Amino acid sequence: KNVFTPRDNAYAKDNDAAKISGNADKIDSLLQKAFDNSTSYEREKISFTIQNFYSKNFRQKLEDAVIRTRNNLLKLQEINKIMNSEHDLNKLLTTIMDVVISLTNAERGFLILLENNEMVFKAARNFDKEEINNPKFKISHSIAENAIKNKKTIITADAQNDSELINSLSVTDLKLRSILCMPLQIKEKIIGCF
């Protein structure tokens, strides 16, 4: 007896391809029934159709990834040019923050430096490339302090349900979802975070 499982196909091993419908097991079951009740010619046609579908999906995802990577490299090149030409530190930090927000698809971003053991906002921008007013009220100080104190990056895709962050009032109050907070370090000294 021929056994047909589309997810065994080389192109279907990509998790996203298997999740396209959200019902991969049901689809497998229906296709198995269709496959079992068909002639060898129909089986060949079904297999070809499935492979063609996954091949196109895989190819599109690969093309999208290449384009994203190219765009990200161009943005990094833009930062490099700006760093070599901009002499105004505030403009430089603002521009870098705008590019970082664009690269990460963030809603907003902050560059915080330590001055006399106090967190000082050097850049606070949103995805519209606008300055954020009162940035100290728009971030989780506990997360920034934790990143600085422990010299570790804090990253989560769902802060509202993250067991390490769920007790942070600012995470709840600000309705924070995805968070990336990285300490800035020169040699062994932490100078801030973003």
Side-chain angles (χ1 to χ4, degrees):
K1 180 177 180 180
N2 292 321
V3 177
F4 175 78
T5 55
R7 285 185 287 169
D8 288 341
N9 180 304
Y11 296 112
K13 286 186 179 175
D14 181 334
N15 283 340
D16 291 335
K19 293 178 186 173
I20 287 172
S21 70
N23 294 312
D25 290 332
K26 289 179 183 176
I27 289 173
D28 282 353
S29 176
L30 290 171
L31 288 172
Q32 182 66 51
K33 287 177 186 174
F35 198 74
D36 289 344
N37 297 323
S38 60
T39 66
S40 61
Y41 172 76
E42 289 169 332
R43 287 184 193 128
E44 207 172 292
K45 202 170 177 182
I46 291 170
S47 292
F48 177 78
T49 302
I50 295 294
Q51 286 178 355
N52 193 30
F53 170 77
Y54 284 126
S55 176
K56 285 180 182 175
N57 190 297
F58 178 79
R59 189 172 32 249
Q60 183 62 49
K61 287 181 182 205
L62 184 60
E63 287 173 9
D64 291 348
V66 168
I67 290 169
R68 255 191 328 276
T69 300
R70 178 185 173 276
N71 290 340
N72 288 347
L73 289 172
L74 288 173
K75 288 175 186 175
L76 290 173
Q77 184 181 25
E78 179 185 337
I79 289 178
N80 191 34
K81 284 180 184 177
I82 293 166
M83 288 176 69
N84 289 323
S85 63
E86 184 58 63
H87 300 291
D88 181 335
L89 181 60
N90 288 332
K91 283 184 183 177
L92 177 63
L93 294 176
T94 297
T95 304
I96 289 172
M97 187 56 61
D98 287 342
V99 174
V100 168
I101 289 169
S102 175
L103 277 171
T104 59
N105 293 317
E107 186 176 313
R108 57 186 173 243
F110 305 89
L111 176 64
I112 303 167
L113 296 182
L114 291 175
E115 293 180 2
N116 299 321
N117 287 332
E118 294 290 321
M119 294 192 309
V120 178
F121 291 84
K122 294 297 184 177
R125 307 285 287 173
N126 67 22
F127 60 89
D128 289 327
K129 298 184 177 184
E130 299 168 334
E131 195 70 29
I132 294 175
N133 295 324
N134 298 317
K136 64 183 175 184
F137 300 114
K138 309 286 180 164
I139 70 155
S140 170
H141 287 265
S142 59
I143 290 175
E145 290 166 359
N146 189 357
I148 291 169
K149 178 183 168 191
N150 295 317
K151 299 181 181 181
K152 94 175 192 188
T153 297
I154 297 170
I155 186 168
T156 183
D158 188 5
Q160 297 294 314
N161 294 309
D162 189 308
S163 61
E164 292 184 27
L165 303 174
I166 203 153
N167 294 325
S168 174
L169 292 176
S170 55
V171 170
T172 305
D173 291 345
L174 294 169
K175 296 178 177 66
L176 300 178
R177 301 295 290 166
S178 299
I179 297 173
L180 169 64
C181 185
M182 298 176 64
L184 296 172
Q185 185 171 338
I186 297 177
K187 295 187 180 182
E188 297 301 313
K189 184 178 180 185
I190 298 294
I191 61 166
C193 64
F194 73 92

